Amino acid sequence: MSDNGFFGDYGGRYVAEVLRRPLERLEEEFSRAMDDPDFLSDLEAFSRDYIGRPTPLLPARNASAVIGGADIYVKLEGLANTGAHKINNAAGQALLAKRMGKTRIIAETGAGQHGVAVAAACARLGLECVVYMGEEDIRRQHPNVYWMELFGAELRPVSSGTRILKDAVNAALRDWASSWEDTHYLLGSALGPTPFPDMVREFQSVIGRETKEQLGELTPDVMVACVGGGSNAIGFFEPYLEDAHPILIGAEAGGRGPGAGNNAARMTGDGKVGVVQGYKSRFLTDSDGQVLPTHSISAGLDYAGIGPQLAHLGESGRIRFVSVRDDEALDALKFFAREEGLIFAMESAHAGAAAIVMARDLGPGKTVVVNMSGRGDKDIFITAAALDGAAWRTFLYDESIREDEI
Ligand SMILES: *Cc1c(COP(=O)(O)O)cnc(C)c1O
């Protein structure tokens, strides 16, 4: 837990006066809910019946044998309903909102993965759902727009700024400032103002708790997760944060390589301390403190900031950060597909690539556990274009001019 909202120097609640009350209320209600056996049993039932928890922990024996190194285990978070870990947080917060008597949920989304998880949870729980999304992101992420609307969510295009995720966050905060009496703002990663980093970590810690139980007597030597905002990583690592072992590794997007605009390497690259959108952490910013553009082949890792607890644990040395380039992540995607029949999400493939390196370095007799935060079906427009080139483009072209109706 944070110390009064802070993790070392990072975290806090740097928000306009109008947002203080709703954040304080949320903090109180969250801590009350986590002590309420009825709430916890509702969350557990939802996780079992709807999300499909527990997700499996797969011993990746073929991969380990081919590498000739440590035993690799893969936590298959991609088998959670809707395809990734994001539903754990969406479900937890949506149930909390219901408990607080809210009838309406708002959310921001960048690539659309969080928006899809929120829209799904709201459909299931009978809550009104409004998702703010930058116009540029809407243009790039049509499949997720389609799913959100199928779930009955209202999509609100954001045309301010550069029309991407940060602009969607601003729009959602503006909405919340005047609507919070009946509306919950369901933030998507372990960042933002207090209490979101603590709350999102707690709702994602189910990944780590299950993994620890599934490992039984086995103590892992290394655990690896990819880090966008940081929610799957902090949830996966949570049961081990207070211990000296195992080694915890966060894989961030190395993109095309070093240099501003080529990556999202906040911890291994040029991240600077700053306060952005309500919290203090490390961000990729220019000398005026303006957030810089980022790049990653994975839509979920190209965020300019990182959750405050991860930034703190990175500096204290408890978590080690590595950066994984686009091409290395694609290689890991191919490797796990061929050796294990798994399709990693491009985000998760960054963790997969780091796990391969660690398994090789550690050698036989050791254990590496990697979180497959999501499955890669959603990435077919990116991975097939990269790996299958002309044939994929021909298919898309033929589909686009097809005239017969279904
Ligand atoms: C959104 C997303 C991420 C990155 O978000 P975190 O908050 O860092 O976990 C990673 N993997 C998948 C599959 C995602 O959808």
Side-chain angles (χ1 to χ4, degrees):
M1 269 325 235
S2 63
D3 180 6
N4 229 341
F6 281 89
F7 307 92
D9 270 353
Y10 297 131
R13 183 183 284 157
Y14 300 86
V15 295
E17 196 53 38
V18 283
L19 289 172
R20 286 193 177 276
R21 278 270 303 288
L23 287 166
E24 281 163 12
R25 283 283 291 282
L26 182 60
E27 186 171 12
E28 288 158 20
E29 294 286 342
F30 168 63
S31 85
R32 228 170 272 156
M34 295 308 276
D35 284 335
D36 176 356
D38 288 343
F39 176 77
L40 295 176
S41 87
D42 284 354
L43 179 58
E44 203 179 302
F46 192 91
S47 299
R48 180 192 61 227
D49 301 339
Y50 176 74
I51 301 179
R53 306 210 68 90
T55 59
L57 180 71
L58 178 77
R61 295 202 181 90
N62 307 333
S64 304
V66 171
I67 294 165
D71 295 332
I72 298 178
Y73 288 78
V74 186
K75 178 64 170 165
L76 297 180
E77 210 48 28
L79 292 193
N81 193 3
T82 68
H85 71 289
K86 287 204 168 71
I87 191 68
N88 301 324
N89 171 51
Q93 287 196 49
L95 285 167
L96 179 63
K98 264 200 116 144
R99 186 178 191 271
M100 291 171 74
K102 314 278 179 187
T103 54
R104 179 174 175 264
I105 300 288
I106 56 174
E108 82 295 343
T109 198
Q113 295 300 113
H114 173 56
V116 168
V118 174
C122 287
R124 174 73 200 147
L125 292 170
L127 291 158
E128 185 189 341
C129 179
V130 171
V131 179
Y132 287 94
M133 189 169 184
E135 282 181 345
E136 184 56 24
D137 288 331
I138 290 178
R139 191 183 61 75
R140 292 186 295 200
Q141 305 290 346
H142 188 72
N144 282 337
V145 170
Y146 169 76
W147 294 127
M148 281 183 260
E149 291 185 333
L150 190 70
F151 286 131
E154 179 197 336
L155 204 78
R156 294 217 181 139
V158 178
S159 59
S160 55
T162 43
R163 299 173 293 146
I164 59 171
L165 176 60
K166 67 175 168 48
D167 311 297
V169 172
N170 288 335
L173 286 170
R174 248 192 321 274
D175 180 321
W176 204 38
S178 62
S179 66
W180 63 272
E181 304 251 4
D182 70 352
T183 297
H184 174 64
Y185 176 22
L186 207 166
L187 198 136
S189 192
L191 41 74
T194 312
F196 285 110
D198 280 325
M199 190 164 71
V200 176
R201 183 199 57 246
E202 290 307 303
F203 289 141
Q204 292 294 1
S205 66
V206 66
I207 310 172
R209 282 184 275 117
E210 280 178 12
T211 302
K212 191 168 186 176
E213 195 179 316
Q214 288 162 327
L215 284 168
E217 298 289 292
L218 200 60
T219 334
D221 295 285
V222 173
M223 295 179 75
V224 195
C226 65
V227 181
S231 68
N232 88 88
I234 201 75
F236 186 51
F237 297 158
E238 199 274 339
Y240 301 94
L241 291 176
E242 303 289 317
D243 309 336
H245 297 285
I247 296 170
L248 305 175
I249 296 183
E252 52 180 8
R256 293 182 285 251
N262 281 329
N263 56 62
R266 293 92 13 126
M267 300 301 288
T268 56
D270 301 324
K272 297 186 187 69
V273 176
V275 173
V276 177
Q277 291 183 322
Y279 67 106
K280 187 172 181 183
S281 189
R282 289 172 72 105
F283 298 88
L284 294 169
T285 49
D286 64 17
S287 48
D288 295 332
Q290 293 299 311
V291 171
L292 288 168
T294 53
H295 163 80
S296 169
I297 190 170
S298 65
L301 300 188
D302 67 354
Y303 185 59
I306 181 168
Q309 188 170 13
L310 285 172
H312 171 63
L313 292 168
E315 288 185 5
S316 76
R318 180 66 192 98
I319 298 179
R320 276 191 218 165
F321 283 88
V322 297
S323 89
V324 174
R325 287 191 319 267
D326 293 347
D327 59 318
E328 295 169 323
L330 269 174
D331 285 345
L333 174 90
K334 282 193 282 189
F335 178 79
F336 283 104
R338 196 157 296 177
E339 305 304 338
E340 297 290 350
L342 294 174
I343 308 173
F344 275 56
M346 274 318 297
E347 293 85 357
S348 323
H350 288 68
I356 292 169
V357 171
M358 286 309 298
R360 199 173 286 143
D361 288 356
L362 286 174
K366 304 280 186 177
T367 303
V368 174
V369 190
V370 56
N371 189 32
M372 188 182 96
S373 53
R375 61 171 180 260
D377 316 41
K378 69 181 177 64
D379 298 320
I380 191 166
F381 287 89
I382 294 158
T383 54
L387 301 175
D388 190 38
W392 174 251
R393 275 178 231 285
T394 302
F395 163 73
L396 288 182
Y397 178 76
D398 289 349
E399 279 295 298
S400 74
I401 60 170
R402 204 161 62 123
E403 284 179 7
D404 53 316
E405 301 280 322
I406 294 164

